[in-house]
C-alpha cells in the first residue's frame, strides 16, 4: 500500500496503532459484558480511551525540577508524583521553625502543582525529641482535618546545630 521506506514505516505504524486500538476496544467490550456497542456515544468513549492509552504509552516520561542548585534539586516532579528535599525553617524555637518549615513546604508544593491535601508521605527529623510536643502543636493546626498523611518522626543530628526540624515529603499532583 505504500511506496518508499519512509512511507512503508508510516503504514506499519498505522497498522500497529489500529491493532492496538482494536485490542483495547475488544478488551473493554468484554470487560463490560457487551457483545456490541449499542450507542455511538459508547463507541466514541471507547475510542477516546483507547487513543489516550496509546498516546500515554508513547510519551517519554520527563522529570521537571524546581529550585535546582549545584548539589541538589529542592523539588522534582515525575509524572503525577512530587518528591521534595528536606525543608528547613527559620526561627529559634521549635514552634517558629515548624511554622516556617511547613510554610516553605506548602509553597514548594504549590510551585510543583500540588497542595498539602495531596501529601502521600511526610518524614520529619527533629534534632531533639523533647521538641516533639511543640512541633505537633503547630503541625496539628496546619494539617488538613480528616486527611493526615502517613508520617514518620525521628530524632537525628541535623547538618547545623541551630536547625531543630527538617521535613521532606512525597505528594501527588
Amino acid at each position: 500500500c505504500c511506496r518508499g521506506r519512509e512511507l512503508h514505516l508510516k503504514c506499519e505504524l498505522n497498522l500497529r496503532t489500529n491493532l492496538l486500538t482494536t485490542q483495547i476496544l475488544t478488551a473493554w467490550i468484554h470487560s463490560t459484558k457487551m457483545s456490541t456497542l449499542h450507542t455511538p456515544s459508547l463507541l466514541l468513549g471507547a475510542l477516546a480511551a483507547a487513543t489516550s492509552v496509546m498516546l500515554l504509552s508513547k510519551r517519554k516520561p520527563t522529570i521537571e525540577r524546581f529550585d535546582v542548585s549545584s548539589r541538589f534539586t529542592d523539588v522534582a516532579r515525575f509524572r503525577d508524583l512530587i518528591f521534595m528535599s528536606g525543608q528547613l525553617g527559620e526561627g529559634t524555637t521549635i514552634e517558629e521553625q515548624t511554622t516556617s518549615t511547613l510554610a516553605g513546604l506548602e509553597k514548594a508544593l504549590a510551585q510543583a502543582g500540588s497542595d498539602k491535601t495531596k501529601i502521600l508521605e511526610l518524614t520529619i527529623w527533629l534534632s531533639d525529641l523533647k521538641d516533639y510536643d511543640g512541633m505537633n502543636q503547630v503541625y496539628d493546626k496546619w494539617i488538613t482535618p480528616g486527611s493526615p498523611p502517613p508520617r514518620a518522626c525521628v530524632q537525628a543530628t541535623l547538618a547545623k546545630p541551630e536547625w531543630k526540624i527538617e521535613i521532606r515529603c512525597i505528594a501527588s499532583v
Side-chain angles (χ1 to χ4, degrees):
C1 72
C2 303
R3 294 187 187 152
R5 174 94 176 120
E6 185 177 316
L7 216 44
H8 176 71
L9 291 175
K10 254 185 178 173
C11 281
E12 188 177 319
L13 179 62
N14 285 339
L15 288 172
R16 286 182 185 183
T17 302
N18 289 338
L19 178 62
L20 181 59
T21 303
T22 303
Q23 289 170 340
I24 291 170
L25 280 172
T26 303
W28 182 79
I29 290 167
H30 289 307
S31 72
T32 58
K33 297 184 179 19
M34 297 174 70
S35 57
T36 59
L37 294 174
H38 298 290
T39 64
S41 61
L42 283 175
L43 177 59
L44 289 174
L47 282 172
T51 303
S52 296
V53 168
M54 287 185 317
L55 291 174
L56 287 174
S57 66
K58 291 179 182 180
R59 191 175 64 189
K60 183 180 178 185
T62 59
I63 299 171
E64 190 173 0
R65 299 174 192 279
F66 303 90
D67 294 328
V68 179
S69 71
S70 61
R71 281 206 178 116
F72 64 92
T73 297
D74 199 32
V75 180
R77 184 170 64 194
F78 178 72
R79 295 193 178 179
D80 289 339
L81 292 176
I82 297 168
F83 300 90
M84 195 172 295
S85 296
Q87 301 293 305
L88 300 163
E90 297 178 352
T92 54
T93 68
I94 188 62
E95 292 82 7
E96 291 170 341
Q97 285 192 21
T98 302
T99 300
S100 178
T101 301
L102 292 172
L105 187 132
E106 203 163 353
K107 181 180 174 188
L109 284 169
Q111 183 181 20
S114 189
D115 61 60
K116 65 184 177 181
T117 66
K118 297 177 184 165
I119 294 173
L120 300 171
E121 177 188 40
L122 273 177
T123 305
I124 301 172
W125 293 276
L126 294 174
S127 61
D128 190 338
L129 280 179
K130 291 177 188 169
D131 289 330
Y132 185 75
D133 291 335
M135 177 274 300
N136 272 327
Q137 286 176 4
V138 175
Y139 175 85
D140 290 343
K141 292 175 188 170
W142 177 81
I143 202 66
T144 304
S147 64
R151 179 185 104 170
C153 183
V154 297
Q155 181 172 326
T157 303
L158 301 179
K160 292 186 179 180
E162 62 269 21
W163 293 344
K164 295 180 179 292
I165 186 170
E166 184 173 348
I167 302 175
R168 72 174 283 278
C169 82
I170 298 172
S172 67
V173 176

mmCIF file of all heavy atoms in Angstrom, residues 37-58:
data_model
loop_
_atom_site.group_PDB
_atom_site.id
_atom_site.type_symbol
_atom_site.label_atom_id
_atom_site.label_comp_id
_atom_site.label_asym_id
_atom_site.label_seq_id
_atom_site.Cartn_x
_atom_site.Cartn_y
_atom_site.Cartn_z
ATOM 1 N N LEU A 37 -21.362 -2.606 20.686
ATOM 2 C CA LEU A 37 -21.552 -1.262 21.231
ATOM 3 C C LEU A 37 -22.895 -0.750 20.727
ATOM 4 O O LEU A 37 -23.110 -0.644 19.531
ATOM 5 C CB LEU A 37 -20.404 -0.344 20.792
ATOM 6 C CG LEU A 37 -19.052 -0.721 21.369
ATOM 7 C CD1 LEU A 37 -17.964 0.146 20.771
ATOM 8 C CD2 LEU A 37 -19.055 -0.579 22.871
ATOM 9 N N HIS A 38 -23.789 -0.454 21.633
ATOM 10 C CA HIS A 38 -25.163 -0.136 21.257
ATOM 11 C C HIS A 38 -25.376 1.315 20.873
ATOM 12 O O HIS A 38 -26.326 1.614 20.172
ATOM 13 C CB HIS A 38 -26.110 -0.507 22.400
ATOM 14 C CG HIS A 38 -26.090 -1.972 22.709
ATOM 15 N ND1 HIS A 38 -26.619 -2.901 21.862
ATOM 16 C CD2 HIS A 38 -25.584 -2.663 23.748
ATOM 17 C CE1 HIS A 38 -26.457 -4.109 22.375
ATOM 18 N NE2 HIS A 38 -25.826 -3.989 23.524
ATOM 19 N N THR A 39 -24.560 2.209 21.335
ATOM 20 C CA THR A 39 -24.794 3.611 21.015
ATOM 21 C C THR A 39 -23.514 4.248 20.506
ATOM 22 O O THR A 39 -22.405 3.845 20.865
ATOM 23 C CB THR A 39 -25.260 4.400 22.259
ATOM 24 O OG1 THR A 39 -24.201 4.398 23.213
ATOM 25 C CG2 THR A 39 -26.501 3.791 22.873
ATOM 26 N N PRO A 40 -23.654 5.258 19.657
ATOM 27 C CA PRO A 40 -22.467 5.965 19.144
ATOM 28 C C PRO A 40 -21.633 6.591 20.263
ATOM 29 O O PRO A 40 -20.421 6.634 20.179
ATOM 30 C CB PRO A 40 -23.056 7.045 18.223
ATOM 31 C CG PRO A 40 -24.405 6.549 17.858
ATOM 32 C CD PRO A 40 -24.884 5.731 19.019
ATOM 33 N N SER A 41 -22.281 7.079 21.332
ATOM 34 C CA SER A 41 -21.523 7.727 22.407
ATOM 35 C C SER A 41 -20.624 6.721 23.123
ATOM 36 O O SER A 41 -19.513 7.048 23.535
ATOM 37 C CB SER A 41 -22.448 8.412 23.405
ATOM 38 O OG SER A 41 -23.305 7.475 24.014
ATOM 39 N N LEU A 42 -21.092 5.470 23.273
ATOM 40 C CA LEU A 42 -20.240 4.444 23.876
ATOM 41 C C LEU A 42 -19.031 4.162 22.993
ATOM 42 O O LEU A 42 -17.915 4.005 23.472
ATOM 43 C CB LEU A 42 -21.023 3.150 24.109
ATOM 44 C CG LEU A 42 -21.964 3.131 25.305
ATOM 45 C CD1 LEU A 42 -22.766 1.837 25.326
ATOM 46 C CD2 LEU A 42 -21.208 3.292 26.587
ATOM 47 N N LEU A 43 -19.262 4.105 21.688
ATOM 48 C CA LEU A 43 -18.170 3.859 20.752
ATOM 49 C C LEU A 43 -17.163 4.996 20.805
ATOM 50 O O LEU A 43 -15.955 4.763 20.873
ATOM 51 C CB LEU A 43 -18.710 3.694 19.328
ATOM 52 C CG LEU A 43 -17.670 3.496 18.232
ATOM 53 C CD1 LEU A 43 -16.835 2.245 18.527
ATOM 54 C CD2 LEU A 43 -18.314 3.386 16.884
ATOM 55 N N LEU A 44 -17.652 6.230 20.814
ATOM 56 C CA LEU A 44 -16.747 7.383 20.878
ATOM 57 C C LEU A 44 -15.953 7.384 22.183
ATOM 58 O O LEU A 44 -14.760 7.686 22.199
ATOM 59 C CB LEU A 44 -17.527 8.689 20.733
ATOM 60 C CG LEU A 44 -18.083 8.972 19.343
ATOM 61 C CD1 LEU A 44 -18.944 10.219 19.364
ATOM 62 C CD2 LEU A 44 -16.950 9.113 18.339
ATOM 63 N N GLY A 45 -16.610 7.052 23.286
ATOM 64 C CA GLY A 45 -15.916 6.985 24.571
ATOM 65 C C GLY A 45 -14.833 5.932 24.568
ATOM 66 O O GLY A 45 -13.714 6.147 25.055
ATOM 67 N N ALA A 46 -15.138 4.774 24.012
ATOM 68 C CA ALA A 46 -14.149 3.702 23.939
ATOM 69 C C ALA A 46 -12.973 4.087 23.054
ATOM 70 O O ALA A 46 -11.817 3.816 23.374
ATOM 71 C CB ALA A 46 -14.805 2.423 23.424
ATOM 72 N N LEU A 47 -13.271 4.744 21.932
ATOM 73 C CA LEU A 47 -12.188 5.187 21.039
ATOM 74 C C LEU A 47 -11.318 6.244 21.721
ATOM 75 O O LEU A 47 -10.095 6.227 21.597
ATOM 76 C CB LEU A 47 -12.769 5.742 19.737
ATOM 77 C CG LEU A 47 -13.235 4.705 18.732
ATOM 78 C CD1 LEU A 47 -13.969 5.368 17.577
ATOM 79 C CD2 LEU A 47 -12.073 3.884 18.218
ATOM 80 N N ALA A 48 -11.945 7.162 22.442
ATOM 81 C CA ALA A 48 -11.180 8.192 23.160
ATOM 82 C C ALA A 48 -10.277 7.552 24.210
ATOM 83 O O ALA A 48 -9.108 7.922 24.354
ATOM 84 C CB ALA A 48 -12.121 9.188 23.816
ATOM 85 N N ALA A 49 -10.793 6.567 24.946
ATOM 86 C CA ALA A 49 -9.983 5.878 25.960
ATOM 87 C C ALA A 49 -8.818 5.152 25.306
ATOM 88 O O ALA A 49 -7.681 5.210 25.784
ATOM 89 C CB ALA A 49 -10.840 4.895 26.746
ATOM 90 N N ALA A 50 -9.078 4.478 24.197
ATOM 91 C CA ALA A 50 -8.014 3.738 23.504
ATOM 92 C C ALA A 50 -6.946 4.688 22.991
ATOM 93 O O ALA A 50 -5.745 4.430 23.103
ATOM 94 C CB ALA A 50 -8.607 2.929 22.358
ATOM 95 N N THR A 51 -7.370 5.827 22.441
ATOM 96 C CA THR A 51 -6.413 6.810 21.927
ATOM 97 C C THR A 51 -5.563 7.376 23.061
ATOM 98 O O THR A 51 -4.347 7.524 22.930
ATOM 99 C CB THR A 51 -7.161 7.948 21.211
ATOM 100 O OG1 THR A 51 -7.960 7.373 20.176
ATOM 101 C CG2 THR A 51 -6.197 8.947 20.607
ATOM 102 N N SER A 52 -6.185 7.671 24.209
ATOM 103 C CA SER A 52 -5.442 8.188 25.362
ATOM 104 C C SER A 52 -4.387 7.196 25.832
ATOM 105 O O SER A 52 -3.255 7.568 26.118
ATOM 106 C CB SER A 52 -6.384 8.492 26.521
ATOM 107 O OG SER A 52 -7.269 9.506 26.162
ATOM 108 N N VAL A 53 -4.759 5.931 25.911
ATOM 109 C CA VAL A 53 -3.807 4.900 26.333
ATOM 110 C C VAL A 53 -2.632 4.841 25.381
ATOM 111 O O VAL A 53 -1.478 4.769 25.787
ATOM 112 C CB VAL A 53 -4.503 3.520 26.441
ATOM 113 C CG1 VAL A 53 -3.492 2.400 26.584
ATOM 114 C CG2 VAL A 53 -5.461 3.517 27.605
ATOM 115 N N MET A 54 -2.914 4.908 24.074
ATOM 116 C CA MET A 54 -1.830 4.839 23.085
ATOM 117 C C MET A 54 -0.910 6.039 23.198
ATOM 118 O O MET A 54 0.311 5.902 23.174
ATOM 119 C CB MET A 54 -2.413 4.770 21.671
ATOM 120 C CG MET A 54 -3.033 3.426 21.360
ATOM 121 S SD MET A 54 -3.595 3.285 19.659
ATOM 122 C CE MET A 54 -4.388 4.828 19.364
ATOM 123 N N LEU A 55 -1.499 7.233 23.330
ATOM 124 C CA LEU A 55 -0.666 8.429 23.414
ATOM 125 C C LEU A 55 0.181 8.426 24.670
ATOM 126 O O LEU A 55 1.355 8.794 24.638
ATOM 127 C CB LEU A 55 -1.536 9.681 23.355
ATOM 128 C CG LEU A 55 -2.204 9.953 22.012
ATOM 129 C CD1 LEU A 55 -3.154 11.141 22.123
ATOM 130 C CD2 LEU A 55 -1.179 10.193 20.920
ATOM 131 N N LEU A 56 -0.395 8.024 25.801
ATOM 132 C CA LEU A 56 0.357 7.995 27.054
ATOM 133 C C LEU A 56 1.473 6.966 27.003
ATOM 134 O O LEU A 56 2.547 7.173 27.550
ATOM 135 C CB LEU A 56 -0.568 7.706 28.234
ATOM 136 C CG LEU A 56 -1.490 8.852 28.633
ATOM 137 C CD1 LEU A 56 -2.460 8.386 29.707
ATOM 138 C CD2 LEU A 56 -0.714 10.056 29.099
ATOM 139 N N SER A 57 1.236 5.852 26.352
ATOM 140 C CA SER A 57 2.260 4.818 26.299
ATOM 141 C C SER A 57 3.423 5.229 25.403
ATOM 142 O O SER A 57 4.519 4.723 25.544
ATOM 143 C CB SER A 57 1.672 3.488 25.828
ATOM 144 O OG SER A 57 1.243 3.606 24.486
ATOM 145 N N LYS A 58 3.211 6.167 24.487
ATOM 146 C CA LYS A 58 4.269 6.599 23.577
ATOM 147 C C LYS A 58 5.033 7.795 24.114
ATOM 148 O O LYS A 58 6.114 8.093 23.644
ATOM 149 C CB LYS A 58 3.670 6.954 22.215
ATOM 150 C CG LYS A 58 3.156 5.749 21.475
ATOM 151 C CD LYS A 58 2.564 6.154 20.157
ATOM 152 C CE LYS A 58 2.004 4.945 19.445
ATOM 153 N NZ LYS A 58 1.429 5.280 18.165
#
